[in-house]
């Protein structure tokens, strides 16, 4: 998956590199891919002690949106928080398991262009997250529907291709699997 994401980013950058840089004022749609990373901690599950997990793991994200003008837009996305292995002790017995999860969101987006190449933005909306924990002794599922928020920076390589980096918050704190806080880097292509 990492090779595919890198290939998509490189292809998008190469396609857009030949096009002239101009300030965007027309409405337009965009799609993008990203690499999100969140800490996989499972220490808040009742009855488990000595929990040791994989920690931060890179995961895939896809997103798309529509910009009404240079400031306002909407965006929707999906992040697949990869499987994470963990070890634990329960009632003096050692065990192991796996967590997995994903999140969907839809949000309004405010973009503030600093100049033709650089912008900062914020997103606010709704998200739905699902986390699962599977082991020989436990099978737990945690779902959450609530607020989504993000702040980020965008660097425009040209009018169509941009690189992004952002901090995202997917609802409330999670008891199992990936935490609600994620750091994401990505690339997007505007039509």
């Amino acid at each position: 998956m990492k090779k595919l994401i890198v290939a998509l980013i490189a292809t998008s950058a190469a396609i857009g590199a030949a096009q002239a840089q101009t300030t965007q004022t027309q409405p337009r749609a965009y799609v993008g891919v990203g690499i999100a990373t969140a800490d996989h901690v499972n220490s808040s599950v009742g009855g488990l002690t000595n929990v040791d997990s994989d920690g931060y793991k890179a995961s895939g994200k896809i997103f798309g949106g529509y910009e009404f003008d240079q400031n306002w837009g909407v965006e929707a996305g999906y992040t697949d928080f990869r499987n994470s292995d963990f070890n634990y002790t329960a009632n003096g017995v050692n065990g192991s398991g796996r967590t997995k999860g994903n999140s969907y969101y839809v949000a309004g987006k405010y973009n503030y262009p600093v100049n033709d190449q650089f912008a900062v933005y914020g997103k606010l909306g709704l998200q739905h997250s699902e986390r699962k924990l599977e082991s020989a002794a436990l099978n737990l599922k945690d779902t959450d529907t609530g607020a989504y928020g993000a702040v980020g920076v965008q660097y425009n390589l040209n009018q169509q291709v941009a690189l992004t980096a952002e901090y995202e918050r997917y609802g409330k704190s999670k008891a199992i699997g990936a935490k609600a806080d994620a750091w994401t880097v990505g690339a997007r292509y505007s039509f």
Side-chain angles (χ1 to χ4, degrees), residues 8-9 28 52 83 115 140-141 148 167 175 177 179 182-183:
L8 288 171
I9 292 170
R28 64 184 180 170
D52 179 31
N83 292 343
N115 57 38
L140 302 173
K141 183 177 177 180
Y148 166 83
Y167 164 79
K179 285 188 172 182
W183 295 93

Side-chain angles (χ1 to χ4, degrees), residues 55-78:
Y56 282 89
K57 293 194 77 161
S59 304
K61 176 182 175 178
I62 57 173
F63 60 95
Y66 187 80
E67 294 174 330
F68 302 107
D69 59 27
Q70 70 177 2
N71 297 112
W72 294 101
V74 294
E75 185 176 291
Y78 169 77

Side-chain angles (χ1 to χ4, degrees), residues 21-76:
Q21 177 75 25
T22 60
T23 303
Q24 182 257 330
T25 58
Q26 298 292 327
R28 64 184 180 170
Y30 63 89
V31 295
V33 295
I35 300 171
T37 183
D39 193 8
H40 289 256
V41 175
N42 305 294
S43 60
S44 60
V45 176
L48 300 184
T49 58
N50 300 325
V51 176
D52 179 31
S53 69
D54 285 342
Y56 282 89
K57 293 194 77 161
S59 304
K61 176 182 175 178
I62 57 173
F63 60 95
Y66 187 80
E67 294 174 330
F68 302 107
D69 59 27
Q70 70 177 2
N71 297 112
W72 294 101
V74 294
E75 185 176 291

Side-chain angles (χ1 to χ4, degrees), residues 125-175:
L126 295 172
Q127 62 80 36
H128 176 77
S129 298
E130 182 175 290
R131 306 289 194 268
K132 292 180 182 178
L133 180 145
E134 298 168 344
S135 72
L138 295 169
N139 283 309
L140 302 173
K141 183 177 177 180
D142 180 24
T143 59
D144 170 39
T145 300
Y148 166 83
V151 293
V153 295
Q154 177 176 305
Y155 180 75
N156 299 319
L157 296 174
N158 56 50
Q159 189 177 7
Q160 279 73 39
V161 180
L163 303 176
T164 61
E166 63 187 354
Y167 164 79
E168 299 177 279
R169 175 71 183 198
Y170 291 94
K172 64 182 181 178
S173 295
K174 311 300 184 220

